[in-house]
Amino acid sequence: MSTISRLKSFCIAVGAVALSALSGTARAEFPERPITLVVPYGAGSAIDSVARSLAMGAQRHLGQTIVVDNRTGAGGAIGTQYVGNRPADGYTLAMVGTIPMPLSYFSKTLTLHPANDFTHIITTTGYLMAVAVRSDSKIRDIKELVEAARQNPDKMTYSTSGIASTGFLNMAEFAALSGIKVVHVPYKSGAEAVTGLLSGQVDFYSDAAWAPFHKDGRLRPLLIFANQRSSRFPDIPVPTDLVNAKVQPGGLMLVGPKGLPPAVLQKLHDAFKTAMGEPEYKATVERFNLESTYLGPEATRNATAASLEPLRKMFDTLGLGKQ
């Protein structure tokens, strides 16, 4: 081989190494621009507050701004579908409910499969859903609410954060098992559902944003949707104290479009896991009486897949597709 040929080969090899290094550096620099975190519910809701508090902590770890975008509608399906259809580059994510997402899929408002058509990044939060009335209500406990509903079938109304909400699913099951008929009034977010109750638009409420209003004396919780009594509220009954219910507590998880690169997935997971230890998130958990509940990417995806069959059975048994 001539000296010139050897020189050419050497230059090509050096160039390839340099290009590879530059490529690796570019990948390592994610994120290079702001990230959008879609919340498929209205501002002021529990899920919105969780998303914003986690975004504050995660953006410090990532070194880029995370912009929260409230894209509401169709029980959370519009915002979730939007994220699922975005490029798999890590710049568009969604904070979604572990139960509303499958319910939207069953009702066909979400066309993407909850387990197979998204990248599951992290589970962060579990909630305490409750049935609550205004503090000036004549109804003092859940037994009185059930009795009032029996005496007034299809007259009493209740608010939730939407058709595909966890509060709706659990209330529908509790009503069916209790033999009562109540009228569901869906709102766009838990915050709006609470406002509906406080302003007298409905008789009671079933969702997750009740805790701050209980603390300031405006709401009275009658029932917590859990499988055992809460250590924080031991005097408030759970459905199994009255009926043979299969409560779906629900939680929040961060997802992205299907096919996120492994390095991007890991970086996002690590940033949001770190954010779970930050003061903003801890304050939000305390304010809404939530629970910090961690699952990694694979465990989050597996939990989503495992939830589909029992949720489908509840969905079909309760006739929620006809709602």
Side-chain angles (χ1 to χ4, degrees):
M1 181 183 290
S2 69
T3 301
I4 293 176
S5 296
R6 285 197 296 270
L7 182 60
K8 284 182 179 179
S9 298
F10 174 76
C11 289
I12 290 171
V14 169
V17 170
L19 183 60
S20 175
L22 286 172
S23 263
T25 300
R27 285 194 298 270
E29 287 177 351
F30 171 86
E32 297 179 304
R33 54 187 169 86
I35 294 169
T36 297
L37 175 54
V38 171
V39 176
Y41 300 97
S45 61
I47 185 172
D48 176 70
S49 299
V50 167
R52 290 177 187 276
S53 66
L54 286 171
M56 290 179 69
Q59 67 186 5
R60 287 195 293 267
H61 185 73
L62 292 168
Q64 279 287 354
T65 301
I66 299 178
V67 180
V68 175
D69 178 11
N70 296 93
R71 288 182 175 258
T72 64
I78 288 177
T80 306
Q81 182 87 22
Y82 170 79
V83 170
N85 288 330
R86 300 299 293 168
D89 55 13
Y91 288 100
T92 310
L93 312 172
M95 182 65 69
V96 300
T98 58
I99 292 178
M101 191 182 189
L103 293 185
S104 295
Y105 178 69
F106 299 151
S107 63
K108 301 188 186 323
T109 53
L110 175 67
T111 63
L112 300 174
H113 192 279
N116 299 336
D117 292 334
F118 293 86
T119 299
H120 300 77
I121 300 167
I122 189 172
T123 297
T124 64
T125 315
Y127 14 71
L128 287 177
M129 293 278 171
V131 173
V133 294
R134 294 190 305 276
S135 57
D136 61 357
S137 172
K138 294 180 180 179
I139 296 174
R140 308 300 300 179
D141 58 42
I142 191 63
K143 291 182 179 179
E144 289 186 5
L145 187 148
V146 169
E147 184 57 31
R150 283 175 177 160
Q151 293 179 9
N152 300 278
D154 292 319
K155 296 288 180 63
M156 295 187 69
T157 57
Y158 72 98
S159 60
T160 73
S161 59
I163 283 285
S165 67
T166 309
F168 172 49
L169 175 71
N170 283 311
M171 187 62 218
E173 183 194 43
F174 180 74
L177 293 174
S178 300
I180 60 175
K181 294 182 178 180
V182 289
V183 179
H184 180 217
V185 182
Y187 286 77
K188 291 183 178 180
S189 71
E192 292 183 24
V194 168
T195 300
L197 174 60
L198 293 174
S199 62
Q201 298 174 41
V202 294
D203 297 306
F204 64 100
Y205 161 93
S206 175
D207 218 279
W210 57 277
F213 306 94
H214 169 52
K215 290 176 182 177
D216 68 17
R218 285 186 282 173
L219 292 185
R220 181 187 307 121
L222 307 180
L223 182 77
I224 288 178
F225 286 117
N227 288 303
Q228 59 185 15
R229 293 201 181 200
S230 167
S231 59
R232 283 176 282 178
F233 304 99
D235 296 330
I236 302 177
V238 296
T240 51
D241 289 330
L242 295 92
V243 295
N244 184 26
K246 296 179 181 178
V247 176
Q248 301 292 333
L252 302 177
M253 61 183 174
L254 184 71
V255 301
K258 181 178 180 179
L260 285 186
V264 172
L265 168 59
Q266 189 65 50
K267 200 160 189 179
L268 288 169
H269 165 270
D270 292 350
F272 278 86
K273 186 178 181 182
T274 299
M276 291 175 67
E278 297 289 338
E280 296 91 347
Y281 176 70
K282 290 182 177 180
T284 299
V285 168
E286 175 65 24
R287 180 177 177 231
F288 286 97
N289 282 319
L290 303 172
E291 298 176 343
S292 183
T293 306
Y294 167 76
L295 291 176
E298 184 177 359
T300 296
R301 193 236 173 238
N302 291 343
T304 301
S307 73
L308 296 180
E309 184 177 352
L311 284 174
R312 167 65 84 176
K313 288 180 179 178
M314 288 184 70
F315 183 86
D316 293 341
T317 300
L318 294 170
L320 301 187
K322 302 175 183 177
Q323 299 288 329

